[in-house]
Amino acid sequence: MKRHSDKPIKLTEVCLRDGSHVVRHQYSVEQVVTVAKALDDAGVPYIEVSHGDGLGGSTLQYGKSLVDEMTLIEEASKVCTNAKISTLLLPGIGTVHDLREAYKRGAGLVRVATHVTEADVAEQHISFARELGMEVHGFLMMAHSAPVSKLVEQANLMEQYGAGAVYITDSAGALLPSEVKERVKALRESLNIEIGFHAHNNLSLAVANTLVAIEEGATRIDGSVRCLGAGAGNTQTEVLVAVLNRMGMNLGIDLYKIMDIAEEIIGPILPSSQEIKKGSLTLGYAGVYSSFLLFAERAGKKYGIDPRDILIELGRRKAVGGQEDMIVDVTSELVKQKVEVINR
Ligand SMILES: C[C@H](O)CC(=O)C(=O)O
Ligand SMILES: [Mn+2]
Protein backbone atom coordinates (compact mmCIF):
# COMPACT_ATOMS: atom_id res chain seq x y z
CA MET A 1 0.00 0.00 0.00
CA LYS A 2 1.32 3.44 -0.89
CA ARG A 3 0.42 5.72 2.01
CA HIS A 4 -0.04 9.47 1.87
CA SER A 5 1.72 9.87 5.22
CA ASP A 6 5.01 8.52 6.50
CA LYS A 7 4.08 8.97 10.16
CA PRO A 8 3.61 5.80 12.24
CA ILE A 9 0.07 4.55 12.70
CA LYS A 10 -1.14 4.67 16.28
CA LEU A 11 -4.07 2.62 17.42
CA THR A 12 -6.51 3.54 20.17
CA GLU A 13 -8.29 0.51 21.59
CA VAL A 14 -11.90 1.36 22.39
CA CYS A 15 -13.34 -1.89 23.81
CA LEU A 16 -13.39 -0.36 27.29
CA ARG A 17 -15.25 2.74 26.05
CA ASP A 18 -17.30 2.04 22.88
CA GLY A 19 -17.60 -1.53 24.19
CA SER A 20 -19.19 -0.11 27.32
CA HIS A 21 -22.41 0.43 25.30
CA VAL A 22 -22.55 -3.32 24.63
CA VAL A 23 -22.30 -4.28 28.30
CA ARG A 24 -24.71 -1.47 29.19
CA HIS A 25 -21.94 0.29 31.10
CA GLN A 26 -21.66 -2.55 33.61
CA TYR A 27 -17.88 -3.07 33.46
CA SER A 28 -16.41 -4.14 36.78
CA VAL A 29 -13.04 -2.95 38.08
CA GLU A 30 -11.71 -6.48 37.68
CA GLN A 31 -12.74 -6.68 34.01
CA VAL A 32 -11.25 -3.28 33.18
CA VAL A 33 -7.99 -4.04 34.98
CA THR A 34 -7.64 -7.45 33.32
CA VAL A 35 -8.33 -6.07 29.83
CA ALA A 36 -6.13 -2.97 30.24
CA LYS A 37 -3.19 -4.99 31.61
CA ALA A 38 -3.39 -7.50 28.76
CA LEU A 39 -3.69 -4.76 26.09
CA ASP A 40 -0.69 -2.95 27.57
CA ASP A 41 1.29 -6.18 27.54
CA ALA A 42 0.33 -6.77 23.88
CA GLY A 43 1.77 -3.37 22.92
CA VAL A 44 -1.42 -1.35 22.38
CA PRO A 45 -0.34 2.32 22.67
CA TYR A 46 -3.65 3.94 23.73
CA ILE A 47 -6.51 2.41 25.72
CA GLU A 48 -9.71 4.41 26.03
CA VAL A 49 -11.66 4.13 29.27
CA SER A 50 -14.96 5.80 30.21
CA HIS A 51 -18.71 5.41 30.03
CA GLY A 52 -19.68 4.70 26.40
CA ASP A 53 -21.00 8.24 26.04
CA GLY A 54 -17.87 9.70 27.55
CA LEU A 55 -17.14 11.33 30.88
CA GLY A 56 -20.33 12.16 32.77
CA GLY A 57 -22.35 9.73 30.64
CA SER A 58 -23.55 7.70 33.62
CA THR A 59 -27.11 9.08 33.77
CA LEU A 60 -30.65 7.78 33.41
CA GLN A 61 -30.67 9.15 29.84
CA TYR A 62 -27.61 7.17 28.68
CA GLY A 63 -27.52 4.35 31.25
CA LYS A 64 -25.93 4.27 34.69
CA SER A 65 -22.46 2.76 35.03
CA LEU A 66 -21.81 -0.03 37.50
CA VAL A 67 -18.54 1.58 38.58
CA ASP A 68 -17.65 5.27 38.52
CA GLU A 69 -15.52 5.88 35.43
CA MET A 70 -12.89 7.83 37.41
CA THR A 71 -12.23 4.66 39.40
CA LEU A 72 -11.97 2.67 36.16
CA ILE A 73 -9.52 5.20 34.68
CA GLU A 74 -7.41 5.16 37.83
CA GLU A 75 -7.31 1.38 38.13
CA ALA A 76 -6.56 0.92 34.42
CA SER A 77 -3.75 3.47 34.49
CA LYS A 78 -2.16 1.74 37.52
CA VAL A 79 -1.67 -1.49 35.58
CA CYS A 80 -0.36 0.02 32.33
CA THR A 81 3.36 0.45 31.95
CA ASN A 82 3.56 1.71 28.36
CA ALA A 83 0.03 2.38 27.16
CA LYS A 84 -1.49 5.80 27.64
CA ILE A 85 -5.03 5.91 29.00
CA SER A 86 -7.34 7.87 26.77
CA THR A 87 -10.78 9.12 27.61
CA LEU A 88 -13.69 10.65 25.70
CA LEU A 89 -15.58 13.83 26.48
CA LEU A 90 -18.72 15.18 24.83
CA PRO A 91 -19.10 18.84 25.86
CA GLY A 92 -22.48 19.17 27.55
CA ILE A 93 -22.34 15.63 28.93
CA GLY A 94 -18.86 15.87 30.44
CA THR A 95 -17.46 19.05 31.96
CA VAL A 96 -14.01 20.56 32.45
CA HIS A 97 -14.25 19.41 36.07
CA ASP A 98 -14.64 15.82 34.86
CA LEU A 99 -11.67 16.37 32.60
CA ARG A 100 -9.47 17.63 35.42
CA GLU A 101 -10.45 14.65 37.54
CA ALA A 102 -9.81 12.16 34.72
CA TYR A 103 -6.37 13.70 34.21
CA LYS A 104 -5.60 13.40 37.94
CA ARG A 105 -6.65 9.75 37.85
CA GLY A 106 -4.29 8.95 34.97
CA ALA A 107 -5.85 9.87 31.59
CA GLY A 108 -3.15 11.27 29.30
CA LEU A 109 -5.23 11.73 26.15
CA VAL A 110 -8.74 13.10 25.74
CA ARG A 111 -10.82 12.98 22.58
CA VAL A 112 -13.29 15.83 22.58
CA ALA A 113 -16.32 14.69 20.59
CA THR A 114 -18.98 16.82 18.96
CA HIS A 115 -21.56 16.33 16.26
CA VAL A 116 -19.87 16.93 12.89
CA THR A 117 -21.43 20.40 12.55
CA GLU A 118 -20.83 21.57 16.12
CA ALA A 119 -17.07 21.75 16.64
CA ASP A 120 -17.40 25.21 18.21
CA VAL A 121 -18.69 23.69 21.46
CA ALA A 122 -15.31 21.97 21.89
CA GLU A 123 -13.15 25.08 22.14
CA GLN A 124 -13.12 25.40 25.92
CA HIS A 125 -12.52 21.69 26.51
CA ILE A 126 -9.72 21.43 23.98
CA SER A 127 -7.88 24.45 25.42
CA PHE A 128 -8.41 23.25 28.97
CA ALA A 129 -7.00 19.81 28.16
CA ARG A 130 -3.94 21.48 26.68
CA GLU A 131 -3.51 23.64 29.79
CA LEU A 132 -3.58 20.46 31.86
CA GLY A 133 -0.80 19.07 29.66
CA MET A 134 -2.94 16.34 28.10
CA GLU A 135 -2.72 15.15 24.53
CA VAL A 136 -6.01 16.23 22.92
CA HIS A 137 -7.80 15.18 19.76
CA GLY A 138 -11.06 16.24 18.13
CA PHE A 139 -13.71 13.62 17.28
CA LEU A 140 -16.27 14.70 14.67
CA MET A 141 -19.18 12.31 15.07
CA MET A 142 -21.76 11.24 12.45
CA ALA A 143 -19.24 12.29 9.80
CA HIS A 144 -21.34 10.73 7.02
CA SER A 145 -24.14 13.21 7.63
CA ALA A 146 -22.45 16.44 6.54
CA PRO A 147 -21.02 17.53 3.21
CA VAL A 148 -17.25 17.17 2.90
CA SER A 149 -16.81 20.96 2.88
CA LYS A 150 -18.58 21.17 6.27
CA LEU A 151 -16.37 18.43 7.71
CA VAL A 152 -13.28 20.31 6.53
CA GLU A 153 -14.54 23.59 8.04
CA GLN A 154 -15.27 21.94 11.40
CA ALA A 155 -11.97 20.03 11.47
CA ASN A 156 -10.17 23.32 10.87
CA LEU A 157 -11.91 24.78 13.91
CA MET A 158 -10.69 21.89 16.04
CA GLU A 159 -7.17 22.42 14.72
CA GLN A 160 -7.39 26.14 15.59
CA TYR A 161 -8.55 25.29 19.13
CA GLY A 162 -5.39 23.20 19.59
CA ALA A 163 -6.32 19.60 18.76
CA GLY A 164 -3.34 17.47 17.75
CA ALA A 165 -5.50 15.27 15.52
CA VAL A 166 -9.05 15.26 14.19
CA TYR A 167 -11.03 12.08 13.70
CA ILE A 168 -13.55 11.31 11.04
CA THR A 169 -15.97 9.41 13.24
CA ASP A 170 -18.29 7.11 11.34
CA SER A 171 -20.71 6.78 14.27
CA ALA A 172 -23.41 5.18 12.12
CA GLY A 173 -21.08 2.84 10.23
CA ALA A 174 -22.65 4.34 7.10
CA LEU A 175 -19.65 5.52 5.11
CA LEU A 176 -18.69 3.74 1.91
CA PRO A 177 -14.99 3.32 1.03
CA SER A 178 -15.15 6.04 -1.64
CA GLU A 179 -16.67 8.42 0.92
CA VAL A 180 -13.92 7.68 3.45
CA LYS A 181 -11.31 8.31 0.77
CA GLU A 182 -12.90 11.64 -0.19
CA ARG A 183 -13.07 12.80 3.41
CA VAL A 184 -9.54 11.83 4.45
CA LYS A 185 -8.12 13.36 1.28
CA ALA A 186 -9.98 16.62 1.88
CA LEU A 187 -8.72 16.83 5.47
CA ARG A 188 -5.17 15.95 4.41
CA GLU A 189 -5.20 18.81 1.92
CA SER A 190 -6.51 21.28 4.47
CA LEU A 191 -5.09 20.40 7.91
CA ASN A 192 -1.59 20.46 9.36
CA ILE A 193 -2.40 17.99 12.10
CA GLU A 194 -2.92 14.22 12.12
CA ILE A 195 -6.11 12.67 10.79
CA GLY A 196 -7.89 9.88 12.61
CA PHE A 197 -10.59 7.41 11.63
CA HIS A 198 -13.13 5.64 13.86
CA ALA A 199 -15.35 3.04 12.19
CA HIS A 200 -18.44 1.02 13.00
CA ASN A 201 -18.92 -2.28 11.23
CA ASN A 202 -22.65 -2.04 10.50
CA LEU A 203 -22.15 -2.47 6.74
CA SER A 204 -19.23 -4.88 7.20
CA LEU A 205 -16.85 -2.19 5.95
CA ALA A 206 -14.92 -1.27 9.10
CA VAL A 207 -11.63 -2.98 8.21
CA ALA A 208 -11.86 -2.01 4.53
CA ASN A 209 -12.69 1.60 5.37
CA THR A 210 -9.86 1.73 7.90
CA LEU A 211 -7.42 0.53 5.24
CA VAL A 212 -8.69 3.21 2.84
CA ALA A 213 -8.26 5.83 5.57
CA ILE A 214 -4.70 4.67 6.25
CA GLU A 215 -3.86 4.69 2.56
CA GLU A 216 -5.20 8.24 2.19
CA GLY A 217 -3.11 9.49 5.12
CA ALA A 218 -4.93 8.80 8.40
CA THR A 219 -2.43 7.91 11.13
CA ARG A 220 -4.72 7.62 14.15
CA ILE A 221 -6.91 4.56 14.00
CA ASP A 222 -9.46 3.09 16.39
CA GLY A 223 -9.91 -0.60 16.90
CA SER A 224 -11.88 -2.76 19.26
CA VAL A 225 -10.89 -6.27 20.24
CA ARG A 226 -13.51 -8.76 19.11
CA CYS A 227 -15.40 -5.79 17.58
CA LEU A 228 -16.70 -4.82 21.02
CA GLY A 229 -18.54 -1.55 20.35
CA ALA A 230 -21.98 -0.07 19.67
CA GLY A 231 -24.06 -1.50 16.80
CA ALA A 232 -22.05 -4.20 15.02
CA GLY A 233 -18.95 -2.90 16.80
CA ASN A 234 -15.81 -1.17 15.57
CA THR A 235 -12.84 -2.18 13.44
CA GLN A 236 -11.79 -5.52 14.91
CA THR A 237 -8.32 -4.86 16.33
CA GLU A 238 -6.87 -8.35 16.00
CA VAL A 239 -8.07 -8.59 12.39
CA LEU A 240 -6.65 -5.18 11.53
CA VAL A 241 -3.30 -6.08 13.09
CA ALA A 242 -3.16 -9.31 11.06
CA VAL A 243 -4.13 -7.58 7.81
CA LEU A 244 -1.64 -4.75 8.30
CA ASN A 245 1.10 -7.27 9.14
CA ARG A 246 0.33 -9.02 5.84
CA MET A 247 0.69 -5.64 4.13
CA GLY A 248 4.07 -5.09 5.77
CA MET A 249 2.88 -2.59 8.38
CA ASN A 250 3.72 -3.22 11.99
CA LEU A 251 1.68 -1.39 14.63
CA GLY A 252 3.89 -2.73 17.42
CA ILE A 253 1.04 -4.93 18.64
CA ASP A 254 1.75 -8.61 19.22
CA LEU A 255 -0.60 -10.59 16.99
CA TYR A 256 -0.83 -13.74 19.10
CA LYS A 257 -1.35 -11.76 22.29
CA ILE A 258 -4.12 -9.62 20.81
CA MET A 259 -5.80 -12.75 19.40
CA ASP A 260 -5.63 -14.36 22.84
CA ILE A 261 -7.18 -11.29 24.49
CA ALA A 262 -10.04 -11.46 21.96
CA GLU A 263 -10.70 -15.11 22.59
CA GLU A 264 -9.91 -15.62 26.26
CA ILE A 265 -10.67 -12.29 27.93
CA ILE A 266 -13.20 -10.43 25.77
CA GLY A 267 -15.03 -13.56 24.56
CA PRO A 268 -16.43 -14.38 28.02
CA ILE A 269 -17.47 -10.71 28.55
CA LEU A 270 -19.56 -10.50 25.36
CA PRO A 271 -23.30 -10.64 26.12
CA SER A 272 -23.80 -12.01 22.58
CA SER A 273 -21.57 -12.21 19.53
CA GLN A 274 -20.94 -8.97 17.63
CA GLU A 275 -22.62 -10.10 14.43
CA ILE A 276 -24.18 -7.88 11.83
CA LYS A 277 -27.84 -8.57 12.41
CA LYS A 278 -30.89 -6.79 11.02
CA GLY A 279 -30.74 -4.07 13.69
CA SER A 280 -27.10 -3.13 13.23
CA LEU A 281 -27.38 -3.42 9.46
CA THR A 282 -30.27 -0.94 9.58
CA LEU A 283 -28.05 1.52 11.49
CA GLY A 284 -25.53 1.58 8.65
CA TYR A 285 -28.22 1.55 5.99
CA ALA A 286 -30.22 4.41 7.50
CA GLY A 287 -27.24 6.37 8.89
CA VAL A 288 -28.21 6.18 12.55
CA TYR A 289 -25.96 6.69 15.58
CA SER A 290 -24.83 3.20 16.59
CA SER A 291 -25.53 3.49 20.30
CA PHE A 292 -29.24 4.07 19.52
CA LEU A 293 -29.65 0.39 18.60
CA LEU A 294 -30.15 -1.09 22.06
CA PHE A 295 -32.58 1.71 22.99
CA ALA A 296 -34.58 1.17 19.77
CA GLU A 297 -34.67 -2.60 20.35
CA ARG A 298 -35.91 -2.08 23.90
CA ALA A 299 -38.58 0.44 22.85
CA GLY A 300 -39.63 -1.78 19.92
CA LYS A 301 -40.06 -4.79 22.19
CA LYS A 302 -42.01 -2.82 24.78
CA TYR A 303 -44.43 -1.20 22.30
CA GLY A 304 -44.66 -3.90 19.61
CA ILE A 305 -42.90 -1.91 16.87
CA ASP A 306 -40.22 -3.27 14.54
CA PRO A 307 -36.97 -1.61 15.72
CA ARG A 308 -36.00 -1.17 12.06
CA ASP A 309 -38.96 1.17 11.58
CA ILE A 310 -37.82 3.20 14.58
CA LEU A 311 -34.25 3.40 13.25
CA ILE A 312 -35.33 4.32 9.72
CA GLU A 313 -37.47 7.14 11.11
CA LEU A 314 -34.61 8.36 13.33
CA GLY A 315 -32.38 8.38 10.25
CA ARG A 316 -34.98 10.33 8.30
CA ARG A 317 -35.16 12.90 11.10
CA LYS A 318 -31.35 13.09 11.22
CA ALA A 319 -31.26 12.41 14.97
CA VAL A 320 -27.86 13.09 16.49
CA GLY A 321 -26.04 11.63 19.48
CA GLY A 322 -27.55 12.96 22.69
CA GLN A 323 -31.10 12.77 21.33
CA GLU A 324 -31.84 9.39 22.91
CA ASP A 325 -35.17 10.83 24.13
CA MET A 326 -36.29 11.03 20.49
CA ILE A 327 -36.32 7.23 20.35
CA VAL A 328 -39.32 7.08 22.69
CA ASP A 329 -41.05 9.98 20.85
CA VAL A 330 -40.61 8.26 17.48
CA THR A 331 -41.80 4.92 18.90
CA SER A 332 -44.94 6.46 20.38
CA GLU A 333 -45.73 8.17 17.07
CA LEU A 334 -45.33 4.85 15.27
CA VAL A 335 -47.66 3.21 17.82
CA LYS A 336 -50.22 5.97 17.20
CA GLN A 337 -50.00 5.47 13.44
CA LYS A 338 -50.44 1.71 13.90
CA VAL A 339 -53.55 2.23 16.07
CA GLU A 340 -55.01 4.67 13.52
CA VAL A 341 -54.56 2.08 10.76
CA ILE A 342 -56.25 -0.60 12.88
CA ASN A 343 -59.19 1.72 13.69
CA ARG A 344 -59.73 2.76 10.10
C1 LIG B 1 -20.39 8.87 22.23
C2 LIG B 1 -20.20 7.99 21.03
O1 LIG B 1 -20.45 6.66 21.38
C3 LIG B 1 -18.87 8.25 20.40
C4 LIG B 1 -18.56 7.27 19.33
O2 LIG B 1 -17.85 6.32 19.55
C5 LIG B 1 -19.16 7.42 18.01
O3 LIG B 1 -19.79 8.45 17.72
O4 LIG B 1 -19.02 6.48 17.22
MN1 LIG C 1 -18.12 4.70 18.17
Side-chain angles (χ1 to χ4, degrees):
M1 180 199 290
K2 195 167 160 355
R3 290 172 57 211
H4 281 276
S5 170
D6 49 15
K7 289 207 172 94
I9 293 157
K10 295 193 179 138
L11 182 130
T12 299
E13 170 59 48
V14 296
C15 68
L16 294 177
R17 200 281 302 162
D18 217 310
S20 174
H21 292 295
V22 181
V23 300
R24 299 190 178 194
H25 319 292
Q26 299 303 294
Y27 273 133
S28 66
V29 170
E30 196 194 344
Q31 285 171 333
V32 168
V33 163
T34 307
V35 173
K37 197 169 185 313
L39 290 170
D40 179 60
D41 180 53
V44 171
Y46 292 89
I47 304 168
E48 190 154 84
V49 180
S50 84
H51 183 281
D53 293 285
L55 297 177
S58 176
T59 56
L60 287 179
Q61 165 107 331
Y62 302 113
K64 294 291 261 182
S65 302
L66 176 67
V67 179
D68 174 56
E69 61 206 344
M70 299 302 173
T71 305
L72 297 180
I73 289 171
E74 183 167 11
E75 296 303 319
S77 75
K78 276 191 207 157
V79 294
C80 289
T81 46
N82 295 309
K84 202 180 238 192
I85 299 298
S86 160
T87 197
L88 184 82
L89 184 142
L90 278 68
I93 299 179
T95 64
V96 289
H97 305 290
D98 296 323
L99 190 52
R100 185 189 290 111
E101 191 58 26
Y103 172 67
K104 276 196 207 151
R105 305 286 191 109
L109 164 67
V110 60
R111 285 140 27 116
V112 181
T114 74
H115 183 62
V116 63
T117 56
E118 290 171 8
D120 58 336
V121 300
E123 181 171 11
Q124 184 197 13
H125 303 79
I126 292 177
S127 351
F128 188 69
R130 280 179 61 110
E131 279 166 33
L132 287 171
M134 294 177 87
E135 199 178 344
V136 53
H137 297 164
F139 212 62
L140 288 169
M141 300 187 290
M142 298 289 277
H144 74 284
S145 66
V148 177
S149 56
K150 187 50 132 182
L151 174 76
V152 170
E153 173 198 290
Q154 299 293 300
N156 272 284
L157 286 180
M158 285 187 156
E159 179 175 15
Q160 279 166 34
Y161 302 152
V166 177
Y167 279 71
I168 298 165
T169 304
D170 185 13
S171 313
L175 286 172
L176 302 174
S178 57
E179 295 169 328
V180 174
K181 187 178 165 81
E182 199 187 358
R183 282 164 174 73
V184 178
K185 182 172 185 285
L187 291 195
R188 172 165 53 76
E189 287 169 353
S190 165
L191 299 179
N192 293 305
I193 54 175
E194 286 186 78
I195 300 159
F197 183 65
H198 171 99
H200 279 268
N201 200 38
N202 303 327
L203 295 178
S204 197
L205 290 170
V207 171
N209 281 349
T210 300
L211 295 178
V212 169
I214 291 173
E215 187 171 15
E216 257 334 289
T219 50
R220 297 283 181 155
I221 291 301
D222 282 4
S224 188
V225 178
R226 200 69 187 266
C227 255
L228 195 56
N234 307 99
T235 304
Q236 194 164 350
T237 306
E238 64 278 21
V239 175
L240 183 69
V241 170
V243 172
L244 289 178
N245 280 1
R246 285 275 318 269
M247 297 173 90
M249 264 178 268
N250 186 346
L251 297 188
I253 299 173
D254 185 292
L255 180 59
Y256 271 20
K257 285 185 179 173
I258 200 82
M259 284 175 171
D260 289 344
I261 296 171
E263 206 100 346
E264 290 155 24
I265 302 179
I266 301 294
I269 294 176
L270 282 177
S272 61
S273 63
Q274 289 282 111
E275 288 169 62
I276 302 170
K277 294 199 189 140
K278 57 188 179 183
S280 44
L281 176 54
T282 307
L283 293 170
Y285 177 72
V288 178
Y289 199 59
S290 291
S291 53
F292 283 0
L293 176 62
L294 297 179
F295 292 92
E297 285 179 345
R298 241 176 290 161
K301 194 165 172 199
K302 188 162 174 193
Y303 298 104
I305 299 289
D306 188 329
R308 288 173 293 187
D309 291 337
I310 303 172
L311 294 171
I312 297 274
E313 184 55 23
L314 288 165
R316 207 185 58 75
R317 295 187 189 191
K318 300 198 182 311
V320 303
Q323 292 183 316
E324 276 73 359
D325 47 346
M326 261 177 78
I327 300 169
V328 175
D329 293 348
V330 163
T331 310
S332 68
E333 282 176 37
L334 292 174
V335 171
K336 232 162 96 191
Q337 284 168 20
K338 207 169 151 183
V339 171
E340 277 165 15
V341 170
I342 293 168
N343 290 338
R344 233 181 252 157

